[in-house]
């Protein structure tokens, strides 16, 4: 696949290039892809195998289940895209958890290179040599890095300039302020005897904003104590900073 010039580019090193753009050819990411706001360039790791069977993996030293992707093959695939801008990322459940800040950081650059493992992962020596940023989608094991790459790219692409209609809605949403989102409602105002909260019908922007913040805070406190304590600590810091400045 060729890459559009000057657009944000995801380079994906994978044994399954046909998985891309996959679901990202649809909806918001798909429209942006058609417009050339971003591009995806896949590199088939198997193209870098050197034997006549195109071998990319082998049994683990020390024994055990599964197969390990060979260091020489993966290293040659990485070398072929070493000139690409942006971080080199290896997708693995052993990595740092992916979050909104990471998506925003990658989206603010010119692109990202994602190395997708299969089997039991890649030989540690190529990770030691290339020192990619190791990132996990969460505490579960996928059959390979590809589904994680698709999710991470979706999170990045929607942050690219011009991809989402209104920046306001991005800034208000979950995690941008360290809080979960407040609940949303639309017509009808009464559905099966369940009315929309009255404040939202008041037309009073100040009261609506206060209600939404309160709802966001309560949801975060109840559902995500980890985010809540970080948010509270951040607010305490802000107070101290302002206090010190006065
Ligand atoms: N590959 C397999 N499982 C994964 C996960 N949870 N995150 C990222 N890459 C993976």
């Amino acid at each position: 696949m060729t890459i559009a010039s000057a657009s944000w580019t995801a380079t994906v090193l994978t044994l399954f290039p046909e998985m891309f753009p996959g679901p990202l050819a649809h909806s918001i990411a798909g429209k942006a892809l058609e417009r050339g706001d971003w591009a995806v360039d896949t590199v088939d790791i198997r193209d870098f195998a050197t034997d006549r069977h195109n071998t990319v993996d082998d049994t683990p030293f020390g024994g055990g289940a599964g197969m390990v992707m060979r260091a020489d093959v993966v290293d040659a695939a990485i070398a072929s895209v070493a000139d690409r801008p942006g971080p080199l990322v290896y997708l693995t459940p052993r990595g740092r958890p992916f979050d909104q800040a990471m998506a925003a950081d990658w989206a603010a650059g010119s692109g990202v290179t994602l190395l997708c493992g299969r089997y039991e992962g890649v030989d540690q020596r190529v990770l030691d040599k290339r020192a990619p940023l190791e990132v996990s989608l969460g505490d579960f094991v996928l059959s390979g890095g590809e589904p994680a790459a698709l999710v991470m790219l979706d999170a990045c692409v929607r942050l690219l300039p011009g991809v989402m209609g209104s920046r306001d809605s991005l800034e208000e949403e979950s995690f941008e302020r360290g809080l979960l989102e407040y609940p949303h409602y639309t017509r009808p105002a009464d559905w099966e005897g369940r009315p929309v909260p009255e404040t939202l019908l008041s037309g009073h922007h100040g009261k609506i904003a206060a209600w939404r913040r309160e709802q966001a805070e309560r949801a975060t406190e109840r559902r995500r104590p980890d985010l809540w304590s970080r948010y509270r600590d951040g607010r305490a810091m802000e107070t101290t900073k302002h206090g010190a400045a006065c």
Side-chain angles (χ1 to χ4, degrees):
M1 205 179 289
T2 50
I3 53 175
S5 60
S7 59
W8 192 90
T9 300
T11 303
V12 185
L13 307 175
T14 171
L15 288 170
F16 296 94
E18 63 279 7
M19 285 193 185
F20 296 87
L24 301 180
H26 303 274
S27 188
I28 288 170
K31 292 211 174 70
L33 192 58
E34 272 173 27
R35 279 198 304 269
D37 290 343
W38 71 292
V40 59
D41 183 26
T42 52
V43 174
D44 190 343
I45 296 173
R46 199 172 293 279
D47 289 346
F48 298 87
T50 52
D51 68 340
R52 63 194 180 90
H53 300 295
N54 286 337
T55 308
V56 294
D57 60 341
D58 212 329
T59 52
F61 280 123
M67 301 290 273
V68 178
M69 286 170 75
R70 290 176 57 113
D72 55 346
V73 177
V74 174
D75 187 56
I78 295 173
S80 75
V81 294
D83 59 338
R84 301 290 167 97
L88 171 66
V89 176
Y90 172 50
L91 306 176
T92 167
R94 283 167 44 116
R96 192 175 133 193
F98 183 65
D99 63 12
Q100 189 67 22
M102 225 184 271
D105 185 42
W106 298 353
S110 311
V112 65
T113 298
L114 302 175
L115 169 62
C116 300
R118 280 269 147 182
Y119 318 117
E120 295 307 305
V122 310
D123 188 305
Q124 182 60 37
R125 291 167 296 180
V126 72
L127 301 176
D128 295 342
K129 175 181 170 182
R130 296 285 179 179
L133 180 63
E134 298 191 29
V135 179
S136 168
L137 190 60
D139 291 340
F140 41 80
V141 182
L142 300 169
S143 52
E146 289 81 2
L150 289 165
V151 170
M152 292 176 195
L153 290 178
D154 183 88
C156 292
V157 166
R158 59 190 293 285
L159 298 177
L160 297 176
V163 171
M164 296 280 284
S166 148
R167 269 308 303 181
D168 283 357
S169 71
L170 280 181
E171 269 148 26
E172 269 198 19
E173 73 187 5
S174 283
F175 308 118
E176 285 292 336
R177 295 173 309 175
L179 290 174
L180 299 182
E181 240 180 300
Y182 50 79
H184 300 276
Y185 300 86
T186 187
R187 273 184 279 275
D190 191 309
W191 176 69
E192 295 189 347
R194 298 165 188 266
V196 166
E198 230 173 272
T199 312
L200 297 179
L201 306 175
S202 69
H204 191 298
H205 295 306
K207 280 189 186 155
I208 292 170
W211 182 89
R212 286 178 166 166
R213 163 142 315 237
E214 174 68 15
Q215 293 289 319
E217 291 186 352
R218 291 296 70 80
T220 310
E221 185 179 19
R222 257 183 268 121
R223 295 171 180 214
R224 292 291 302 274
D226 56 326
L227 290 181
W228 178 244
S229 48
R230 219 182 310 158
Y231 173 77
R232 253 191 350 207
D233 292 350
R235 255 195 339 197
M237 289 267 283
E238 280 293 301
T239 316
T240 320
K241 249 193 332 206
H242 292 310
C246 290

